[in-house]
Amino acid sequence: MPTSILDLRHLRTLLALLESGSVSRAAALQNVTQSALSHQLKALEEFYGLTLFERKSAPVAFTPAGRRLLELAQDVIPAVDRAERDIARLTGHGAGKLRIAVECHTCFDWLMPSMDALRLRWPEVEQDIVSGFQSDPVGLLHQDRADVAIVSEVDTDERDVDVYPLFEFDIVAILPLGHPLLARDHLVAADFADQTLITYPVPDEMLDLVRQVLRPAGVEPPRRTTELTVAMLQLVASGRGFAALPLWAVQTYLQRSYVAQQRIGEGGLTGRLYAVMRQAKGERGRDDAYLEDFVQVMRETSLRTLPGIRLL
């Protein structure tokens, strides 16, 4: 047999394909273009003269050849990752403190599973969420009061930081069951004008509905705030107003028919989340290997646990 072209990159691609279920989602998980990932897979198939998976299946169905390489990937990649983490610990870069600053109230719903996953990979790292909801979490990085900031928007003029895209998600209007507006195809800004808008107690710049929909249309509905998502849903269910929340944050309440959802805008309303860190120094990148690994952990864990998200 000729010298194999198989390398760790290919094995990671196969694992991403298994975990994500599609080429496009696997490409996002691996931070490469769909074209580049397809080229990797095609090169492997040409080398072995066999197909590795069924192109039209959903989720992806591996052929016998693909399953055999997948078995190899499942043996090799975890061992490589463990070895690299062990080496990071030997060099003193595998322990420390990870302080996380967040600006969004719903962040905790998806962040905790990611923190749990990181704890399994880096047990020596002490994790902490900076207390309170932060209107300027990136500013805490510059003050050395946080190591990672989770934000919904990135200032392109921000200096000395590295930005890591996490995922995009749908934001839906939450209405009481049986509300007449549920018969519409979607809501527009004017539909909120005579409804109380129930939000978290945060600046308008942090509310996608206000920033992207209401303010451009000059609509300023009556407002009411609450700290808790469940309290917000209770107010909506009792007919006290509308809310706009990430679909993944309210999925269980929708499934129980506690409240109802409606699309916002003809094309829907979307939000995004990013991780921001202080810029890496030196040619070798970050001294703390777990920091950058945390980004991948958040992406992988969110893909597994949050319905309807799209990796950026």
Side-chain angles (χ1 to χ4, degrees):
M1 178 178 286
T3 302
S4 177
I5 64 169
L6 193 64
D7 60 25
L8 293 179
R9 175 181 49 128
H10 295 123
L11 298 181
R12 292 188 188 279
T13 291
L14 292 171
L15 287 180
L17 194 57
L18 174 67
E19 183 172 10
S20 65
S22 73
V23 172
S24 60
R25 288 164 68 87
L29 193 57
Q30 290 293 90
N31 296 312
V32 298
T33 65
Q34 185 173 336
S35 174
L37 188 135
S38 296
H39 182 74
Q40 283 184 34
L41 295 169
K42 185 178 179 181
L44 277 181
E45 290 177 327
E46 289 178 348
F47 177 78
Y48 291 114
L50 293 167
T51 58
L52 300 179
F53 64 98
E54 302 296 338
R55 257 60 177 181
K56 296 182 179 180
S57 62
V60 166
F62 287 86
T63 65
R67 288 196 297 271
R68 181 62 188 92
L69 290 181
L70 191 57
E71 289 176 6
L72 176 65
Q74 291 169 325
D75 288 338
V76 170
I77 294 302
V80 170
D81 289 344
R82 287 194 300 270
E84 290 188 334
R85 290 195 293 271
D86 289 342
I87 292 172
R89 294 182 183 98
L90 291 173
T91 59
H93 299 154
K97 193 165 187 176
L98 176 58
R99 300 164 298 173
I100 308 166
V102 298
E103 69 174 16
C104 57
H105 283 59
T106 53
C107 280
F108 298 104
D109 292 334
W110 66 265
L111 188 56
M112 290 304 178
S114 296
M115 294 175 69
D116 291 340
L118 187 76
R119 189 173 294 109
L120 294 176
R121 293 162 69 112
W122 301 93
E124 298 90 347
V125 174
E126 180 184 350
Q127 302 180 59
D128 185 29
I129 296 178
V130 179
S131 61
F133 300 102
Q134 307 297 327
S135 60
D136 182 23
V138 176
L140 299 182
L141 299 179
H142 298 301
Q143 300 169 34
D144 195 27
R145 293 170 55 197
D147 304 295
V148 179
I150 308 297
V151 300
S152 57
E153 277 200 314
V154 178
D155 184 352
T156 55
D157 295 326
E158 192 77 50
R159 300 174 61 86
D160 301 323
V161 297
D162 291 327
V163 178
Y164 301 87
L166 295 177
F167 55 85
E168 180 182 66
F169 54 92
D170 294 322
I171 299 172
V172 295
I174 305 301
L175 283 66
L177 297 177
H179 196 283
L181 288 177
L182 293 171
R184 298 268 194 90
D185 179 66
H186 62 271
L187 300 185
V188 296
D191 293 323
F192 292 88
D194 59 352
Q195 302 290 335
T196 298
L197 178 61
I198 307 168
T199 72
Y200 299 113
V202 298
D204 283 354
E205 289 71 22
M206 298 169 61
L207 297 172
D208 290 282
L209 175 66
V210 174
R211 190 177 66 247
Q212 298 186 45
V213 179
L214 301 184
R215 184 181 293 163
V219 174
E220 297 184 8
R223 306 283 282 274
R224 180 169 182 170
T225 63
T226 179
E227 290 274 359
L228 301 176
T229 302
V230 65
M232 189 180 300
L233 295 173
Q234 288 173 343
L235 289 170
V236 171
S238 61
R240 308 294 181 83
F242 290 177
L245 292 167
L247 180 57
W248 51 262
V250 296
Q251 192 78 15
T252 56
Y253 295 92
L254 294 171
Q255 291 170 347
R256 288 161 40 200
S257 297
Y258 184 68
V259 290
Q261 64 162 309
Q262 179 60 290
R263 188 155 48 103
I264 301 172
E266 186 175 0
L269 178 63
T270 59
R272 294 184 170 191
L273 285 177
Y274 304 85
V276 184
M277 304 180 196
R278 287 187 298 274
Q279 202 164 62
K281 304 296 183 182
E283 295 181 359
R284 293 179 60 239
R286 299 192 176 279
D287 289 335
D288 301 317
Y290 56 84
L291 274 178
E292 202 157 309
D293 192 35
F294 187 43
V295 173
Q296 190 65 12
V297 168
M298 284 189 284
R299 288 165 60 83
E300 292 174 356
T301 305
S302 298
L303 186 66
R304 286 194 300 267
T305 59
L306 300 180
I309 71 162
R310 300 170 292 278
L311 295 181
L312 297 172

